[in-house]
Amino acid sequence: MVIHVTDADFNEKVLNSDKAVLVDFWAEWCGPCRMIAPVVEEVAENLKDNLVVAKLNVDENPMTASLYGISSIPTLVLFKDGKPLGKIVGFRPAAQIESAIKGALGL
Amino acid sequence: MFDVAIIGKGPAGISAAVNAFARNKSVVIFGGDSKKVLLSPSIPNYPGLPEISGKDLMERLNEHLKLTNATIINKTVIAVYAMGNYFSIQAENDFYEAKSVILATGVDFKKSIENEDTFLGNGVSYCATCDAPLYKGKVVAVVGYNHESVEEANFLAEVCQRVYFIPMFKGNFKLKENVEIINDSPIKFEGSLKAEKLILKNNAIEADGFFVLKDSLPLTSLVPGLEVDGPHVLVDKRMETNIKGLFAAGDITGKPYQVAKAIGEGQIAALNAAEYLDQKK
């Protein structure tokens, strides 16, 4: 499942989520972000039993982006039980994102 | 969508193009002539063409390339994205699509600044147009290795409060008012979670972000997710990398850095790319 989150609902939808959440920090003007979007959707579909994918626009939601030290996009951060478990900066093929998530979640 | 995209127009890339064409594949080839070949006064060990000069060999290779159907694009490739079933290739500001890719970019010996790779994505960026909006109203430093970096420094100056420009080449620079030129040599990046300071030989600069702008990017940022060993790509006997459908040939795969080896590997890569495409159908 892919959802959209903002500074306002980040706590509720990401930090308090029952499932692990992969947050995709992106912006309209970022070319690699457009490239990674379908890849992240594929990962969301493949891991739908264990994972929610949340997209956060860094231009519209600067507080969350700055809180987690996002200085280059796209950046993917995996959250579980309110804590960041790890991050991937820049584009990656689906298989590599998937295996990093599986490793981090022990799937 | 092209069948085969070849990144690099030296002996390995052109050999790959000739062979992919022979297998009836559509080909796009990116880049300019190999500077390394052009600058060789003579190549003594290429069988059949004793003592041919690098310039003559490059001419012959280009003539041969013209006999194929290859689309030639003289642009720098910024990134190759593995999308799953195909590849998306960003050449400057344009995107191209191909079912398979052969990397034949040659090998780059330019040393990185210490900690450049550690902080990449954490305060260090290779692309001003990509990441500039993240530094709106902030202070950035640009280490510029090429002439385009002057334009990029000016572009950053429109968005940022202040830009330090450290040119790694000589010239007269027309820069905006809020750009300060610093003539010094970068040594290393320092910081805790992100790069905060660039140590120079005689000075140090603190900034919110650092841009390192050069012609050839480290392989791992050219192809995100690629397995490498130092300056080389890891390939199997079929010249295939860890990413399916992505092959490599020539100096980029390792020593010896020789024309004959590059041409042989270009052929192997192209034939295996053709086989990969035929199996996909």
Side-chain angles (χ1 to χ4, degrees):
Chain A
M1 183 170 60
V2 179
I3 58 172
H4 290 263
V5 297
T6 63
D7 281 346
D9 61 14
F10 193 82
N11 264 334
E12 175 204 340
K13 289 187 176 162
V14 176
L15 300 182
N16 294 332
S17 164
D18 294 336
K19 276 189 192 174
V21 184
L22 182 73
V23 181
D24 173 8
F25 291 89
W26 71 285
E28 291 284 351
W29 44 264
C30 154
C33 297
R34 285 196 291 275
M35 290 293 123
I36 209 171
V39 172
V40 167
E41 275 168 31
E42 188 186 327
V43 172
E45 178 58 32
N46 291 346
L47 298 177
K48 62 182 170 204
D49 293 340
N50 301 292
L51 186 77
V52 174
V53 169
K55 293 174 73 78
L56 182 128
N57 183 317
V58 298
D59 282 337
E60 291 162 9
N61 304 284
M63 269 167 51
T64 309
S66 128
L67 186 64
Y68 292 99
I70 306 303
S71 68
S72 186
I73 52 174
T75 291
L76 305 175
V77 183
L78 180 66
F79 288 86
K80 182 86 211 302
D81 301 326
K83 291 187 198 69
L85 293 186
K87 74 172 171 180
I88 292 175
V89 180
F91 182 94
R92 289 288 184 286
Q96 291 182 20
I97 298 172
E98 224 174 286
S99 78
I101 293 169
K102 283 182 179 166
L105 298 179
L107 298 177
Chain B
M1 170 140 10
F2 292 95
D3 290 328
V4 185
I6 299 165
I7 323 294
K9 200 162 76 68
I14 292 179
S15 166
V18 167
N19 284 283
F21 173 65
R23 284 299 179 96
N24 211 14
K25 304 300 174 200
S26 62
V27 174
V28 59
I29 183 165
F30 294 91
D33 290 341
S34 160
K35 277 183 198 154
K36 198 165 146 192
V37 174
L38 283 177
L39 294 174
S40 299
S42 89
I43 295 162
N45 64 346
Y46 191 73
L49 300 172
E51 299 304 327
I52 189 166
S53 74
K55 197 170 155 280
D56 287 345
L57 180 69
M58 200 65 237
E59 255 171 46
R60 303 278 291 265
L61 287 168
N62 274 323
E63 279 165 23
H64 201 159
L65 181 63
K66 276 187 206 141
L67 301 176
T68 71
N69 65 342
T71 304
I72 302 167
I73 296 175
N74 191 359
K75 281 186 197 159
T76 306
V77 172
I78 309 281
V80 176
Y81 301 109
M83 304 301 293
N85 238 337
Y86 70 100
F87 294 87
S88 183
I89 297 137
Q90 186 185 2
E92 294 170 18
N93 285 323
D94 298 321
F95 283 89
Y96 300 84
E97 290 179 349
K99 292 177 197 157
S100 69
V101 171
I102 298 172
L103 294 177
T105 57
V107 71
D108 185 17
F109 296 103
K110 235 184 265 129
K111 264 173 82 181
S112 297
I113 301 167
E114 200 182 326
N115 290 335
E116 185 180 308
D117 51 344
T118 318
F119 288 123
L120 183 63
N122 287 307
V124 174
S125 166
Y126 289 133
C127 181
T129 45
C130 305
D131 291 336
L134 285 173
Y135 296 97
K136 208 178 280 173
K138 297 192 172 170
V139 178
V140 301
V142 175
V143 183
Y145 290 87
N146 55 19
H147 291 275
E148 290 77 22
S149 63
V150 180
E151 277 168 48
E152 304 224 22
N154 277 329
F155 170 73
L156 282 163
E158 287 173 19
V159 183
C160 303
Q161 186 205 346
R162 186 169 191 78
V163 177
Y164 296 107
F165 183 58
I166 305 141
M168 303 306 289
F169 58 101
K170 290 197 170 65
N172 284 320
F173 310 118
K174 277 189 195 149
L175 292 162
K176 291 205 158 67
E177 269 178 9
N178 56 341
V179 182
E180 183 183 333
I181 296 182
I182 297 184
N183 287 306
D184 208 336
S185 318
I187 309 285
K188 70 168 175 179
F189 290 105
E190 283 185 357
S192 48
L193 291 173
K194 63 185 281 291
E196 289 155 3
K197 201 191 255 184
L198 174 60
I199 309 294
L200 304 163
K201 213 169 163 192
N202 307 307
N203 204 340
I205 299 176
E206 285 184 31
D208 299 301
F210 299 87
F211 290 86
V212 180
L213 306 177
K214 47 190 173 186
D215 284 332
S216 52
L217 301 179
L219 287 171
T220 44
S221 66
L222 179 67
V223 188
L226 186 66
E227 265 181 32
V228 298
D229 178 16
H232 301 137
V233 182
L234 292 176
V235 288
D236 62 16
K237 266 177 148 173
R238 301 165 56 249
M239 310 313 296
E240 193 168 22
T241 67
N242 67 309
I243 297 173
K244 246 189 137 17
L246 185 82
F247 300 81
D251 288 0
I252 193 176
T253 69
K255 286 177 180 174
Y257 302 139
Q258 300 277 329
V259 173
K261 180 243 190 199
I263 284 183
E265 286 190 354
Q267 179 180 49
I268 298 170
L271 297 183
N272 285 309
E275 193 184 296
Y276 165 80
L277 292 167
D278 293 342
Q279 280 171 359
K280 256 181 74 166
K281 271 177 197 159

